[in-house]
């Protein structure tokens, strides 16, 4: 699968020979062994430690989804990670977190194409449903959004302001209680990513199809046993190929749908007029429901949706399917065993997304170099207080060892 971003399509058609595409990856040492020792140990206990330097070996976990004790153990590990994060969030943000809720995370640079605002529209929709029917049995959620805005990017800063403002109303509404919480994670960076991703249930990868070249947080979450809700954009396409469409929550327009829609003429206002819940959410942003001290605060966000040539990233076109897809997420979460089995299948299918594979592809197909047979330092080295200080692991794989 070739994930050349739609941005380069015409350039690619002109001179395809100039393009070489290697699927990105993440290092399993940082993003699992170091950051999620509980899960790492639970995996090694069952399939031994070969996976750390040969991530494809995670495939062996597939055979364990009917092993009740293993499924329970993976569920326990996730729950412990969530409780640890809940304690930290309560201290840092003075918000009581329900550790039984779905930990729903979207952490990445704030950008209109990544559509944090679509996530916000879902939050407002959940809130309005709870207020409208407070006695229904809702699956509780804690939505975390984190990321930095570029200093000169006005809309990105407005998006951060909106997430905080919606959080202030939702988190303090006694009718909502512990069924919905919204947290904007400040100062998002790698060290924070390492702390929060092990506790994620749901990974939000909801960019407009054709916009994201790859993404890597999608891979970090998958490796840590979160399920993904996503559009068919960037490496999400390859993740779906690896894990199978039944084990990932896909919604929304494809790249082809987006192109077709643009050609035919896209009118966001028509969608707004026809969908009552969407209209209510946008009207609340518009009329100062979330910014009573300054009702006009989010006018530019509303304009970005509704002015004549607005909604460039077509959030409104994907809204209805996104909400329906989130309902499917809730239904699966009610069955914790079925949910955890899918988490295990996702971990098992994440082997392709090791940066070891990416680098090997570069070495073979671009750089024309052979791998060296040198031992690498242990990933724990230099991290005070961790186990295995000073030990070395041998990075070379079995094949290389045999050829020595
Ligand atoms: C992985 C990572 C990213 C990339 O996130 P995407 O969702 O792939 O855009 C950005 N920032 C930090 C701190 C990360 O760890």
């Amino acid at each position: 699968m070739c994930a050349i971003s739609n941005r380069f399509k015409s350039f690619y058609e002109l001179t395809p020979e100039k393009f070489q595409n290697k699927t990105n990856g993440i290092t399993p040492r940082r993003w699992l062994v170091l950051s999620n020792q509980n899960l790492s140990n639970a995996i090694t206990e069952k399939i031994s430690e070969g996976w750390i330097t040969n991530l494809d070996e995670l495939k062996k976990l597939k055979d364990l989804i009917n092993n009740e004790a293993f499924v329970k153990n993976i569920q326990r590990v996730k729950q412990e990670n969530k409780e640890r994060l809940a304690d930290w969030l309560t201290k840092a943000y003075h918000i009581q977190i329900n550790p039984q809720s779905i930990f729903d995370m979207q952490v990445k640079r704030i950008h209109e194409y990544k559509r944090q605002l679509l996530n916000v529209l879902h939050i407002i929709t959940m809130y309005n449903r709870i207020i409208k029917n407070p006695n229904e049995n809702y699956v509780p959620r804690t939505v975390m959004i984190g990321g930095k805005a570029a200093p000169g990017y006005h809309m990105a800063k407005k998006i951060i302001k909106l997430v905080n403002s919606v959080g202030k109303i939702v988190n303090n509404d006694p009718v909502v209680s512990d069924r919905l919480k919204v947290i904007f994670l400040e100062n998002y960076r790698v060290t924070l990513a390492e702390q929060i991703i092990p506790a994620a249930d749901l990974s939000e990868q909801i960019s407009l199809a054709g916009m994201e070249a790859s993404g890597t947080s999608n891979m970090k979450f998958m490796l840590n046993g979160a399920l993904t809700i996503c559009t068919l954009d960037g490496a999400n396409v390859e993740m779906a190929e690896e894990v199978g469409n039944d084990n990932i929550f896909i919604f929304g327009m494809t790249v082809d749908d987006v192109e077709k829609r643009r050609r035919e003429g896209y009118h966001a206002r028509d969608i707004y007029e026809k969908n009552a819940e969407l209209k209510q959410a946008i009207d609340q942003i518009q009329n100062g429901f979330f910014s009573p001290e300054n009702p006009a605060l989010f006018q530019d966000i509303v304009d970005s949706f509704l002015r004549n040539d607005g909604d460039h990233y077509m959030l409104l076109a994907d809204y209805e399917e996104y909400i329906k897809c989130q309902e499917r997420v809730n239904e699966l979460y009610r069955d914790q065993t079925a949910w955890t089995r899918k988490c295990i299948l996702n971990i098992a299918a994440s082997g392709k997304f090791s940066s070891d594979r990416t680098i090997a592809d570069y070495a073979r197909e671009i750089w024309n170099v052979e791998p060296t047979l040198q031992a690498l330092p242990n990933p724990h080295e230099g991290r005070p207080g961790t186990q295995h200080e000073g030990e070395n692991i041998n990075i070379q794989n079995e094949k290389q060892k045999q050829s020595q």
Side-chain angles (χ1 to χ4, degrees), residues 346-366:
N346 272 266
I347 299 168
S350 64
K352 177 176 180 182
F353 305 106
S354 170
S355 52
D356 300 341
R357 192 267 318 137
T358 311
I359 293 164
D361 287 353
Y362 272 97
R364 214 176 319 104
E365 293 161 46
I366 298 180

Side-chain angles (χ1 to χ4, degrees), residues 327-357:
E327 290 164 5
R328 292 198 284 124
V329 170
N330 292 336
E331 286 322 303
L332 183 67
Y333 194 76
R334 288 182 194 278
D335 183 345
Q336 279 293 298
T337 302
W339 178 279
T340 306
R341 281 193 184 128
K342 285 198 199 290
C343 295
I344 294 167
L345 289 175
N346 272 266
I347 299 168
S350 64
K352 177 176 180 182
F353 305 106
S354 170
S355 52
D356 300 341
R357 192 267 318 137

Side-chain angles (χ1 to χ4, degrees), residues 79-315:
Q79 195 55 39
E80 283 175 11
N81 291 346
K82 287 173 69 177
E83 272 158 32
R84 202 173 318 113
L85 181 62
D87 288 346
W88 181 79
L89 289 172
T90 301
K91 281 201 193 87
Y93 291 92
H94 308 288
I95 297 167
Q96 207 60 45
I97 303 295
N98 177 359
Q100 307 303 324
S101 63
I102 297 177
F103 279 24
D104 169 339
M105 296 187 191
Q106 186 178 23
V107 285
K108 48 186 73 256
R109 288 172 299 118
I110 309 295
H111 199 290
E112 286 162 285
Y113 89 79
K114 291 180 182 279
R115 303 201 295 188
Q116 282 91 358
L117 286 174
L118 184 57
N119 192 341
V120 173
L121 289 172
H122 174 241
I123 295 168
I124 298 174
T125 303
M126 284 190 287
Y127 173 71
N128 288 334
R129 285 181 181 181
I130 294 172
I131 297 304
K132 193 173 172 199
N133 290 309
N135 297 322
E136 252 187 51
N137 181 14
Y138 296 97
V139 177
R141 276 206 198 216
T142 303
V143 185
M144 290 159 247
I145 299 178
K148 286 173 180 169
Y153 191 172
H154 172 77
M155 275 301 281
K157 292 181 173 186
K158 271 287 156 84
I159 292 168
I160 294 174
K161 183 73 184 165
L162 180 63
V163 174
N164 279 289
S165 301
V166 170
K168 211 166 169 183
I169 296 292
V170 170
N171 298 343
N172 293 302
D173 193 322
V175 176
V176 173
S177 182
D178 67 351
R179 296 183 287 185
L180 181 60
K181 289 284 177 273
V182 183
I183 294 176
F184 183 81
L185 296 166
E186 290 167 16
N187 196 12
Y188 181 61
R189 61 204 188 284
V190 167
T191 46
L192 185 58
E194 288 179 80
Q195 285 176 55
I196 65 165
I197 290 173
D201 294 308
L202 187 66
S203 160
E204 298 266 356
Q205 307 297 338
I206 61 177
S207 51
L208 175 67
M211 295 302 303
E212 191 76 82
S214 163
T216 53
S217 78
N218 44 4
M219 302 167 183
K220 298 168 196 167
F221 282 111
M222 185 188 197
L223 183 64
N224 280 272
L227 300 189
T228 305
I229 182 164
C230 67
T231 52
L232 284 174
D233 197 21
N236 304 342
V237 175
E238 289 151 282
M239 283 167 44
E241 282 174 1
E242 294 299 303
V243 78
N245 287 355
D246 290 345
N247 301 308
I248 186 165
F249 293 99
I250 298 167
F251 72 96
M253 294 182 288
T254 62
V255 172
D256 290 345
D257 295 335
V258 170
E259 280 173 6
K260 183 158 177 273
R261 198 83 184 246
R262 283 210 204 284
R263 267 200 313 275
E264 289 172 352
Y266 175 62
H267 303 289
R269 188 171 279 278
D270 296 348
I271 303 171
Y272 158 85
E273 297 289 356
K274 280 188 195 131
N275 187 314
E277 287 190 299
L278 173 63
K279 183 169 187 305
Q280 183 187 6
I282 292 176
D283 289 350
Q284 285 167 316
I285 298 171
Q286 151 106 9
N287 66 26
F289 184 88
F290 300 108
S291 56
E293 71 297 337
N294 180 2
L297 187 60
F298 299 119
Q299 188 57 48
D300 34 16
I301 286 183
V302 174
D303 288 344
S304 82
F305 292 145
L306 297 182
R307 63 169 187 239
N308 285 339
D309 55 349
D311 197 18
H312 186 65
Y313 298 106
M314 299 174 135
L315 284 74

